[in-house]
Amino acid sequence: MLQPTYPYYLANVAEQPNADLEVTDKYTGEVATRVALADANAIDAGIAAAVGATDAMRRFTPYQRQAVLEHCVTRFRERYDELAMALCIEAGKPIKDSRGEVTRLIDTFKIAAEEAVRIDGEVFNLEISPRAKGYRGFTRRVPIGPCSFISPFNFPLNLAAHKVAPGIAAGCPFVLKPASRTPIGALIIGEILAETDLPKGAFSILPAHRDGADLFTTDDRLKLLSFTGSPAVGWDLKARAGKKKVVLELGGNAAVIVDADQREHLDHVISRLIFGAFYQSGQSCIGVQRILVQADLYDEVRDRLVAATKKLVAGDPKDENTFIGPMIDEKEARRLDDWIQEAVAAGAKVLCGGKRNGAMLEATVLENVAPDEKVNCMEAFGPVVTVQPYETFDEAIRLVNASEFGLQAGLFSNDIHKAMRAWDELEVGGVLINEVSSFRVDNMPYGGVKDSGLGREGIRYAIEDMTEVRLLVIRDR
């Protein structure tokens, strides 16, 4: 279970100046614990400490960074059950999914430990013309400097890890603002980092309300802002970030295409669509929101999808059998419920689900949804999926691309030519063949285009953003 209170971490040190931030059990709604809440002075001190640690982190050798990351892996394994239950309580994530996220946390730090000792440069030829005869070129990657990380509520462990772990591997001091609704996992990471010999000031983990956290974005002492969250907030932060580099991992309304040649594989297709649409109550930016099925197969896919959805167990996320837990709060559930009702009023049909009780929203399948309905064209971020038929593959490509978002997309097809065409033409950051859009492995380049963001995560790719290329030129005498 959770501790009664949790400190924040300022310049590597646990501090408990207050217990002003209440963290609720998302299923019961009761206060589960209280957390120290950072004010502007604490955030300013954390940034100052990161600036002061810049040289020490730059000199902190790759093998020392690797040792820190390996220590974290060991301790995460030792505290596996504690981390999973904390996540289950603070995020309302079903316990099986919570354990899966702890596994991914471990994977992410393992990858970062490996990458920490292979941040390489290159030797390249400068003798491209007579005037450059005798010149040699070399590059290396150096830490960009103090970084600001802002992580979201839906994957409070692993999405924080995708900032913290590459930051340590790259040699960058940082300040992290975890989501105020789900700060516990990040604070446990901080507790474990505090056990290491990271230089003084190398990290601060400071829960703060959004309206009191402008320094994470606007302070010019910070050289990079990495934000994961909603598009509206992300693009606003970019506009106010000043000269610093900005990496944005934002939202989506991901589509999956089911080709007519999948009739013999429908057991697999349906199971993956169910996972992609309703995993952790649909609160994933790459969750399946739009399912496009070739017309010849549409009725069968729709009917089987609905039958499988009706079998999902909803309830207490601490129950091993639960697949659908609560949304993050009742306000979000009410918002998505309103979107469903708006779509129905405009002619959509509820095939199953569609009812809400507090923060619990039933897994819902809709058809005949107009293109301009919010549940279709905006990010639903909840347990709702739309299904519609298409005639030609050209039409399917067009429907996927008819979105302001472009994070990931899936295609179930046996046709390699369609697979390659999808890779060529879909306006997304990643195309997954015979898999749903919500699949992610933690070393792959991950990110989107259009309103879904800019830059890429996945440890090696994040390290590239957190480092700069420094050139050396030597002239032979």
Side-chain angles (χ1 to χ4, degrees), residues 227-231 235 247-254 285-286 379 403-408 427-429 446-456:
F227 170 84
T228 301
S230 73
W235 293 115
V247 177
L248 300 177
E249 300 295 339
L250 306 177
N253 59 353
C285 51
I286 47 176
E379 182 180 37
S403 172
E404 296 178 357
F405 300 104
L407 198 44
Q408 294 194 156
E427 297 166 357
V428 294
Y446 173 79
V449 298
K450 299 192 282 189
D451 279 0
S452 289
L454 54 89
R456 294 293 180 270

Side-chain angles (χ1 to χ4, degrees), residues 359-387:
M360 294 290 298
L361 182 64
E362 290 181 344
T364 303
V365 181
L366 300 173
E367 72 173 349
N368 299 328
V369 179
D372 58 351
E373 284 301 314
K374 293 174 184 174
V375 76
N376 184 69
C377 67
M378 298 177 69
E379 182 180 37
F381 216 69
V384 176
V385 67
T386 68
V387 290

Side-chain angles (χ1 to χ4, degrees), residues 336-352:
L336 186 51
D337 187 21
D338 289 345
W339 287 14
I340 294 170
Q341 303 314 316
E342 290 173 12
V344 171
K349 181 179 180 181
V350 177
L351 299 177
C352 65

Side-chain angles (χ1 to χ4, degrees), residues 7 22 87 210 239 301 318 324 334 447:
E22 293 183 346
L87 179 55
R210 183 184 298 173
V301 169
K318 302 176 195 69
I324 299 285
R334 190 182 311 117

Side-chain angles (χ1 to χ4, degrees), residues 22-176:
E22 293 183 346
V23 180
T24 60
D25 180 316
K26 299 305 182 292
Y27 181 69
T28 67
E30 298 175 353
V31 175
T33 186
R34 289 175 171 82
V35 168
L37 186 67
D39 59 14
N41 290 332
I43 297 168
D44 179 75
I47 295 171
V51 172
T54 300
D55 286 344
M57 278 296 287
R58 177 177 52 81
R59 292 192 298 270
F60 204 58
T61 63
Y63 66 82
Q64 289 175 301
R65 301 172 197 170
Q66 183 180 59
V68 168
L69 294 161
E70 289 176 339
H71 172 82
C72 290
V73 169
T74 298
R75 296 290 283 129
F76 294 155
R77 286 174 173 155
E78 292 171 352
R79 300 179 68 172
Y80 184 96
D81 291 335
E82 175 192 358
L83 285 161
M85 184 53 67
L87 179 55
C88 180
I89 292 170
E90 70 168 341
K93 184 172 295 195
I95 187 62
K96 289 181 180 178
D97 295 338
S98 295
R99 294 189 190 109
E101 186 170 341
V102 178
T103 298
R104 290 187 60 192
L105 166 72
I106 292 167
D107 286 347
T108 300
F109 271 76
K110 281 175 59 181
I111 298 163
E114 295 165 0
E115 294 291 344
V117 293
R118 56 188 186 213
I119 303 174
D120 299 321
E122 64 176 326
V123 179
F124 60 98
N125 178 28
L126 291 176
E127 295 182 311
I128 61 171
S129 66
R131 75 181 187 89
K133 187 177 188 303
Y135 286 83
R136 304 173 189 271
F138 308 84
T139 62
R140 60 181 297 201
R141 302 200 73 94
V142 298
I144 197 170
C147 295
S148 172
F149 301 147
I150 302 177
S151 60
F153 73 79
N154 59 325
F155 287 89
L157 280 175
N158 197 44
L159 293 186
H162 269 284
K163 303 179 189 305
V164 169
I168 294 170
C172 294
F174 65 87
V175 290
L176 167 67

